[in-house]
Amino acid sequence: MADNDLDLPDYFETGSDEERADARRRLNGEGWNASAVVADCKEAVRHKAAGVSRHGGDLAGMAEIERLAALDPISYDAERDAAATRLGCRVSTLDKQVSSKKAETTLSEAVELCADTEPCAYPVSVAEVLDAVRATIKRFIVCEPETATAASLWVAFTWVIDAVQVAPLAIVTAPEKGCGKTQLLDVIGRLSRRALFASNISPAATFRVIEAKAPTLLIDEADAFFRENEELRGVINSGHTRTSAYVIRTVGDNHEVRQFSTWSAKAIAGIGRLPGTVMSRGIILNLRRKLKDEKVERLRHAEPALFEMLARKLARFGLDYGPSIGRARPDLPDALGDRAQDNWEPLLAIADAAGGNWPKEARRAALALCGAEQDAVSANEELLKDIRDAFDVERVDRMAMAELLRRLVEDETAPWATWNRGKPMTARQLGAKLKEFGIHAGTVHVSAYDKPKGFKREQFRDAWARYLDGQNCPGLNGDMLSPDTPLPSVTRSPSYNSLGFEVTEEVTEGNSLSHHLVQSPVEGEVTDGAGDRRKIVQSPLRSPEKPMFSGQGDRVTDGTPLSGEKGVIRL
């Protein structure tokens, strides 16, 4: 009997319409092995008898998977082998199906918690609502006035997020435990739109719940898991601006490409600083531990109607003022950086809509909170600053890498002495960090015979101007050093101490060696050459102790115009 003449009555009677159509297509198609199709069909019949279709669409089979997903881990381990046999699948396949069902159930339950709030029936005064929110925060939380102001504006922002283009994070941080981080997060959540709390969350759960409900996501205990989870940080960071608030993943057995939204309000609480990329996208709400004489009420004793009524007023505010706040272009303090201006723009627009003292107080809070954040520089910025200090202290225009490293690690208050897992930073590590700024080590001439790898001051000027605190590079005592300012060398040649003078070496253009003979007011001390001096310019191969003047390139030149001053050497 030919393969395509095989009798398949059981299959075509019990199979679904989709399964029968699939079998016919495969039997009639060119290049298909009819025996293999028959084997597949017979396997489908066995699955059907066991209570599940090979396409996973059988209600009994799905019900079994839902039942297994509801079991506790111990009970599931006891039943998984027998359940896999009944369903006609491998245990590993069953595990994946049960895990997927558990995730779907958890997500569904979480989304149900993100309930919309019914707006109050009458228009509200924005200033009065913000005043009430701030008073409520100060009723339960010990914090600075600027922190309470910023937190109030951020709560209001969650109700107009659909109208704005930037979604700043609310970052609740404190130096130690017991400062009220979780308490403030709780207050913010009770007043925010579609609040959803989590003390731990995976990257996949984050973008899936945002796609499903766009909640205000409130993440606690971030210091325990957030710093080391780069994928989660990437998902959180992507939601900062509306245009980039998406991640792309493949889903299903067919690996279908799908785009998920990450656009939602997010508040994160943790001890200490979070990674810089997260901190720069947030409104920083710093807390401190309360003193014995600082009294606040316990949040668990608060009357539920308080938060319910405030939330309804905020919902009405979002309904009435959202479009106008989205169109607003508030005046932004010039003292704020570009990213800080982006973060504060929606909050300042809300303050301007409130009027009264709110515009002034909001800008004062922005400057105070951002100023404190800007004081905490990144490791790269600290490295650039310490390198600039090293050049300024020595007043040189070039420095060997070994000398620069020595100066960096000798500062016990800087991180470089323990940068390499408790050991000093290495030359390779220094070079790698500077490459991020486009600065590469090269051969530098520090003396006639010493040409090590190092850096020139001019290589850092652009990075200093862009990443430090000004467009110029301050020198010693706050003086500004221009690119054309000549800098004396600190490399010394053999001494003229017996005559009361010393010689310093300087590599000039063309790699020739210039010796500067200067009078020392104190024996053994080198002056800066700006006063009484004469230069002896000669070949690098000749000893400066016995200068020769052959008229063939060896000459005496004045360093500065002098006429009869004391201490001038006439050669």
Side-chain angles (χ1 to χ4, degrees), residues 176-203:
E176 260 297 343
K177 61 184 179 181
C179 295
K181 300 180 302 299
T182 301
Q183 194 93 329
L184 178 56
L185 200 66
D186 195 348
V187 174
I188 289 175
R190 296 187 187 206
L191 297 171
S192 296
R193 178 193 184 197
R194 297 179 188 165
L196 177 61
F197 289 90
S199 293
N200 195 304
I201 190 169
S202 70

Side-chain angles (χ1 to χ4, degrees), residues 173-487:
T173 182
E176 260 297 343
K177 61 184 179 181
C179 295
K181 300 180 302 299
T182 301
Q183 194 93 329
L184 178 56
L185 200 66
D186 195 348
V187 174
I188 289 175
R190 296 187 187 206
L191 297 171
S192 296
R193 178 193 184 197
R194 297 179 188 165
L196 177 61
F197 289 90
S199 293
N200 195 304
I201 190 169
S202 70
T206 301
F207 62 73
R208 288 182 184 278
V209 75
I210 291 175
E211 174 73 20
K213 197 64 176 179
T216 296
L217 191 58
L218 302 119
I219 304 175
D220 201 4
E221 309 297 340
D223 52 287
F225 70 96
F226 199 79
R227 291 187 179 91
E228 306 303 323
N229 196 331
E230 294 185 5
E231 185 181 1
L232 178 59
R233 294 205 309 269
V235 172
I236 295 294
N237 289 344
S238 69
H240 184 244
T241 58
R242 183 183 292 275
T243 55
S244 63
Y246 297 97
V247 297
I248 296 177
R249 297 291 189 272
T250 57
V251 297
D253 295 337
N254 295 329
H255 303 289
E256 177 187 358
V257 176
R258 183 177 171 187
Q259 186 182 62
F260 292 87
S261 172
T262 57
W263 177 255
S264 75
K266 308 172 192 71
I268 306 172
I271 296 174
R273 286 179 58 82
L274 295 176
T277 57
V278 178
M279 298 291 284
S280 67
R281 289 169 166 81
I283 306 298
I284 312 302
L285 306 176
N286 292 301
L287 296 180
R288 51 186 169 77
R289 187 176 293 174
K290 68 177 181 178
L291 299 173
K292 291 183 178 180
D293 59 350
E294 292 178 316
K295 304 296 183 182
V296 291
E297 298 183 34
R298 297 189 182 279
L299 185 58
R300 63 177 178 270
H301 297 157
E303 59 276 22
L306 167 67
F307 296 100
E308 181 182 353
M309 180 53 65
L310 273 178
R312 292 189 63 193
K313 290 181 178 180
L314 286 163
R316 182 58 187 253
F317 151 76
L319 188 65
D320 294 344
Y321 289 86
S324 61
I325 288 173
R327 295 190 299 269
R329 298 296 179 266
D331 291 332
L332 304 172
D334 292 334
L336 300 180
D338 291 343
R339 179 61 64 81
Q341 288 185 347
D342 291 344
N343 293 337
W344 278 89
E345 183 175 27
L347 276 62
L348 296 180
I350 294 170
D352 290 348
N357 291 328
W358 275 96
K360 180 179 179 181
E361 293 175 0
R363 286 164 175 81
R364 183 188 299 123
L367 292 172
L369 298 181
C370 289
E373 176 61 18
Q374 289 171 357
D375 289 341
V377 299
S378 68
N380 283 350
E381 291 172 331
E382 185 174 1
L383 178 62
L384 288 175
K385 180 181 181 299
D386 289 347
I387 291 174
R388 186 177 68 180
D389 290 343
F391 273 96
D392 287 346
V393 167
E394 290 299 330
R395 297 189 65 83
V396 294
D397 63 351
R398 66 199 68 205
M399 189 178 297
M401 179 178 282
E403 175 66 12
L404 179 57
L405 269 175
R406 185 186 69 80
R407 295 197 169 276
L408 290 174
V409 302
E410 72 181 2
D411 184 357
E412 296 180 354
T413 64
W416 321 123
T418 57
W419 186 260
N420 186 23
R421 298 182 180 180
K423 297 180 181 180
M425 171 183 273
T426 65
R428 181 183 294 274
Q429 290 172 329
L430 175 60
K433 292 196 75 66
L434 292 179
K435 283 180 181 178
E436 298 176 17
F437 298 98
I439 300 171
H440 303 270
T443 302
V444 294
H445 299 264
V446 296
S447 70
Y449 310 105
D450 190 11
K451 302 176 182 179
K453 291 289 185 180
F455 304 95
K456 297 180 181 179
R457 172 186 285 266
E458 63 190 30
Q459 292 178 266
F460 294 91
R461 293 192 186 279
D462 182 74
W464 289 340
R466 292 181 186 275
Y467 299 102
L468 298 186
D469 53 355
Q471 295 301 310
N472 294 301
C473 304
L476 293 173
N477 304 320
D479 298 332
M480 304 307 293
L481 302 175
S482 71
D484 300 325
T485 303
L487 295 168

Side-chain angles (χ1 to χ4, degrees), residues 131-209:
D131 287 340
V133 171
R134 183 166 58 183
T136 302
I137 291 174
K138 296 175 74 173
R139 175 180 167 184
F140 299 103
I141 306 297
V142 174
C143 62
E144 298 295 336
E146 294 82 6
T147 299
T149 296
S152 303
L153 291 169
W154 192 88
V155 165
F157 146 77
T158 68
W159 296 92
V160 297
I161 186 172
D162 292 336
V164 300
Q165 300 300 314
V166 177
L169 304 170
I171 300 178
V172 184
T173 182
E176 260 297 343
K177 61 184 179 181
C179 295
K181 300 180 302 299
T182 301
Q183 194 93 329
L184 178 56
L185 200 66
D186 195 348
V187 174
I188 289 175
R190 296 187 187 206
L191 297 171
S192 296
R193 178 193 184 197
R194 297 179 188 165
L196 177 61
F197 289 90
S199 293
N200 195 304
I201 190 169
S202 70
T206 301
F207 62 73
R208 288 182 184 278
V209 75

